[in-house]
């Protein structure tokens, strides 16, 4: 391996904390990963990693090398891409993670357009409703819906999803249509349980610029957006959901919006990535394409403050 390849191996081991996970990420034998790190340490005359049977961690010299190595690798990739033919000047593998509904409804159908523009990019698209660990799982960027927990991630705000309240006609026929939030204690909701901690989020609405909350009665809780919507379609209760998520169901009359004057605060949508400096050109290309793609489903950023712990339902 040349020096840049050795640095790539070091970065993968440092970011995943494991020789095995680094081998999987780079599609190399584990022995080749171990040998590359040994060669780099010999070349630099310094131990870069602490190895134990359960975990690999950086030494002080490894910490000092990490950011410089990252910058060198990205710069070298950009230099190589700069001199490729125009049609292939953005290339390489990109691993992204997005909420499952956004992946199915918005991103996957539009991917032919992305690959028509960037045919040399290889995209690994993960879709889940949990907050993945970008560094540990080797993810280049992720789309997050809802306020971010405090972290070292860099966030690129894209806009907000409008949240609406809705229910099926069958539910409304049995329980009536709530006219004001004061009617909510007489109704049943489908609870949305966080995929991370399992806690059910309360019902929310804006009142005089503040967020009001209520613990609704519920017979079922779901920790997945698809299931959450399916329960509403089955008449099991009221839900709060991004409007884009149920557009087709509203148009078909399968769901009906209720309490339009008592909506929850819009959910912020952000693209997050691990590092601020020197984003690769393929990362920049995907981010720009995604922002354009989502523009039709997003509201512009709002100035209203976000409540800590707001749920992310997409």
């Amino acid at each position: 391996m040349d020096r840049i390849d050795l640095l790539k191996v070091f970065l993968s081991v440092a970011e995943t904390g494991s020789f095995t996970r680094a081998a999987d990420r780079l599609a190399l034998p584990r022995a080749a990963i171990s040998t590359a790190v040994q060669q780099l340490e010999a070349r630099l005359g310094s131990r870069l990693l602490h190895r134990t049977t359960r975990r690999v961690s950086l030494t002080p010299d490894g910490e000092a090398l990490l950011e410089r190595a990252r910058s060198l690798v990205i710069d070298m990739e950009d230099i190589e891409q700069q001199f490729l033919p125009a049609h292939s000047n953005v290339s390489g593998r990109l691993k992204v993670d997005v909420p499952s509904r956004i992946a199915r409804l918005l991103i996957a159908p539009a991917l032919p357009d992305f690959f028509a523009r960037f045919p040399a990019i290889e995209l690994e698209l993960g879709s889940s409703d949990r907050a993945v660990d970008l560094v540990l799982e080797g993810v280049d960027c992720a789309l997050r819906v809802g306020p971010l927990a405090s972290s070292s991630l860099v966030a690129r705000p894209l806009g907000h999803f409008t949240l609406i309240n809705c229910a099926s006609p069958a539910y409304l026929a049995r329980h009536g249509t709530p006219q004001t939030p004061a009617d909510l204690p007489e109704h049943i909701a489908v609870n949305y349980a966080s995929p991370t901690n399992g806690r059910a989020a309360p019902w929310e609405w804006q009142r005089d610029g503040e967020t009001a909350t209520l613990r609704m009665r519920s017979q079922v809780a779901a920790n997945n957006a698809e299931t959450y919507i399916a329960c509403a379609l089955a008449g099991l209760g009221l839900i709060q959901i991004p409007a884009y998520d149920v557009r087709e169901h509203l148009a078909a009359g399968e769901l009906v919006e209720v309490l339009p004057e008592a909506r929850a605060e819009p959910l912020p949508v952000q693209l997050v990535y691990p590092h601020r400096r020197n984003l690769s050109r393929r990362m920049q290309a995907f981010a720009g394409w995604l922002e354009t793609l989502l523009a039709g489903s997003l509201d512009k950023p709002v100035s209203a403050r976000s409540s800590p712990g707001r749920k992310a339902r997409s």
Side-chain angles (χ1 to χ4, degrees):
M1 294 185 183
D2 63 23
R3 297 180 194 183
I4 293 296
D5 288 335
L6 294 179
L7 290 176
K8 287 180 180 178
V9 171
F10 165 73
L11 286 174
S12 291
V13 175
E15 290 173 353
T16 62
S18 164
F19 283 83
T20 300
R21 283 193 289 266
D24 291 341
R25 182 196 284 194
L26 297 175
L28 291 172
R30 189 187 183 285
I33 300 296
S34 180
T35 299
V37 171
Q38 292 172 9
Q39 290 176 354
L40 182 61
E41 289 179 327
R43 182 182 288 275
L44 298 178
S46 179
R47 189 173 182 83
L48 302 174
L49 298 168
H50 293 301
R51 292 111 159 140
T52 70
T53 55
R54 302 182 65 182
R55 179 75 180 170
V56 177
S57 60
L58 292 167
T59 66
D61 285 342
E63 292 278 6
L65 176 62
L66 185 63
E67 282 303 320
R68 296 196 65 182
R70 187 174 286 129
S71 296
L72 284 169
V73 168
I74 293 175
D75 286 346
M76 189 63 199
E77 289 178 346
D78 281 348
I79 289 171
E80 291 173 342
Q81 292 175 11
Q82 182 178 348
F83 295 98
L84 291 173
H87 68 277
S88 60
N89 63 356
V90 182
S91 63
R93 178 179 169 272
L94 192 65
K95 185 174 182 179
V96 305
D97 188 88
V98 300
S100 57
R101 289 282 291 179
I102 295 176
R104 185 174 74 81
L105 295 178
L106 301 177
I107 295 179
L111 283 179
D113 170 71
F114 177 77
F115 290 122
R117 300 185 190 191
F118 308 104
I121 291 181
E122 179 187 347
L123 186 65
E124 183 177 337
L125 181 63
S127 59
S128 64
D129 289 336
R130 66 183 179 88
V132 301
D133 186 318
L134 273 68
V135 173
L136 186 62
E137 299 181 44
V139 176
D140 295 293
C141 66
L143 191 69
R144 296 276 170 86
V145 179
L148 295 176
S150 177
S151 75
S152 59
L153 296 176
V154 179
R156 174 176 174 171
L158 300 181
H160 289 76
F161 279 136
T162 295
L163 281 170
I164 64 170
N165 313 305
C166 55
S168 72
Y171 172 87
L172 298 176
R174 287 197 306 273
H175 299 276
T177 300
Q179 301 300 316
T180 72
D183 296 332
L184 289 173
E186 305 303 318
H187 284 267
I188 298 172
V190 177
N191 275 342
Y192 185 83
S194 166
T196 303
N197 57 35
R199 291 196 207 99
W203 194 270
E204 296 183 0
W205 68 96
Q206 291 292 293
R207 181 175 60 195
D208 299 326
E210 299 291 331
T211 297
T213 63
L214 176 69
R215 290 286 175 185
M216 296 278 289
R217 292 186 300 130
S218 178
Q219 294 179 308
V220 61
N223 66 355
N224 170 277
E226 297 279 357
T227 306
Y228 186 62
I229 295 169
C231 288
L233 291 168
L236 296 175
L238 304 168
I239 62 170
Q240 292 187 311
I241 194 80
Y244 91 88
D245 248 327
V246 291
R247 235 180 246 154
E248 294 180 0
H249 298 302
L250 292 170
E254 297 166 338
L255 291 175
V256 178
E257 183 178 4
V258 300
L259 297 174
E261 303 303 320
R263 291 176 174 175
E265 188 177 5
L267 288 174
V269 180
Q270 299 156 96
L271 190 66
V272 298
Y273 42 93
H275 316 296
R276 185 178 302 278
R277 297 181 60 232
N278 298 328
L279 292 181
S280 68
R281 294 176 69 187
R282 58 184 173 272
M283 172 66 195
Q284 295 176 44
F286 179 79
W289 175 83
L290 183 63
E291 185 168 8
T292 300
L293 174 68
L294 296 181
S297 299
L298 288 171
D299 300 318
K300 293 181 180 179
V302 295
S303 58
R305 58 191 176 89
S306 295
S307 305
R310 285 290 306 282
K311 59 268 185 187
R313 287 189 177 144
S314 290

